[in-house]
Amino acid sequence: MNVKKIMIIGSPGAGKSTFARKLRDKTGLPLFYLDMIKHKPDRTEISCEEFDIKLREIVNLPEWIIDGNYQRTLDIRMRQADTIILFDLPMQVCLQGAIARIGTTREDLPWIETEETLENGFRKWIEEFSEKRLPDIYFLLDKYKDKDVVIFRSREEADKYLYNSDMQ
């Protein structure tokens, strides 16, 4: 399988970043976390214009794994990707995933999440993801039927994919 440009999307807490790291380790492809691009360690954000410039630089590279949603830029990434991986997991699984990572240092986020992070709108974002974000994602996926689209409905499916795929 000659996969060079992979985007990974889905609800926060679904396991996207963990999967992305495992995929990077298996393939050797460079991994870019959109949260690390958008957010600064002081919890401020770069402008949309600056973000778009950085994202365009990445998608124009010959190889990449890009982890993150950022609905506004899905089409840009889907157009360039050869593989699109969607984590469509139950809300409760995603919420538990987000709760489980509170207080941990992560390479995909420039700060440590706290209970306060979850209660300041992040919990609601996760709870509403399937209803408010997934329909737009599926609409876009339908537009890119020529791409290799992989949809995981459980973390076990993601693990099997990594184990069984011949990506090098």
Side-chain angles (χ1 to χ4, degrees):
M1 189 180 296
N2 193 16
V3 177
K4 299 291 182 188
K5 296 183 176 186
I6 305 167
M7 62 181 284
I8 303 170
I9 54 178
S11 175
K16 298 181 307 295
S17 298
T18 300
F19 177 85
R21 282 189 290 282
K22 291 176 183 177
L23 189 60
R24 173 199 59 202
D25 294 346
K26 181 170 185 163
T27 64
L29 295 172
L31 172 56
F32 300 93
Y33 298 108
L34 295 184
D35 283 341
M36 290 297 287
I37 295 166
K38 181 69 174 173
H39 301 290
K40 298 178 184 179
D42 66 0
R43 296 182 185 251
T44 60
E45 299 178 348
I46 64 172
S47 69
C48 288
E49 294 78 18
E50 191 177 350
F51 181 82
D52 290 352
I53 290 167
K54 290 182 181 210
L55 180 59
R56 280 194 173 80
E57 289 171 1
I58 293 167
V59 298
N60 286 323
L61 294 171
E63 300 178 335
W64 44 257
I65 299 169
I66 300 175
D67 166 40
N69 286 308
Y70 294 82
Q71 300 283 116
R72 184 180 65 76
T73 66
L74 283 174
D75 195 58
I76 295 165
R77 288 175 279 142
M78 286 182 178
R79 202 174 318 126
Q80 297 292 329
D82 50 50
T83 303
I84 302 165
I85 297 174
L86 169 62
F87 277 74
D88 184 358
L89 276 59
M91 181 273 295
Q92 207 53 42
V93 171
C94 297
L95 195 54
Q96 287 302 321
I99 291 168
R101 68 188 190 201
I102 289 174
T104 63
T105 301
R106 299 169 31 211
E107 72 178 65
D108 57 302
L109 193 64
W111 61 70
I112 296 175
E113 291 175 310
T114 64
E115 286 280 345
E116 187 179 322
T117 307
L118 194 59
E119 298 313 320
N120 285 342
F122 197 49
R123 174 188 296 271
K124 185 173 179 165
W125 177 266
I126 295 168
E127 290 172 344
E128 296 177 344
F129 188 86
S130 290
E131 178 185 330
K132 292 192 173 182
R133 307 288 180 294
L134 272 179
D136 292 338
I137 291 171
Y138 276 106
F139 178 80
L140 276 173
L141 287 176
D142 197 46
K143 182 178 168 183
Y144 290 101
K145 290 180 179 175
D146 61 317
K147 308 291 182 177
D148 182 18
V149 176
V150 180
I151 300 172
F152 298 133
R153 307 226 184 255
S154 71
R155 292 192 183 125
E156 293 75 23
E157 287 180 7
D159 289 340
K160 285 179 188 171
Y161 179 86
L162 283 170
Y163 182 77
N164 292 323
S165 69
D166 61 354
M167 293 181 198
Q168 300 297 334

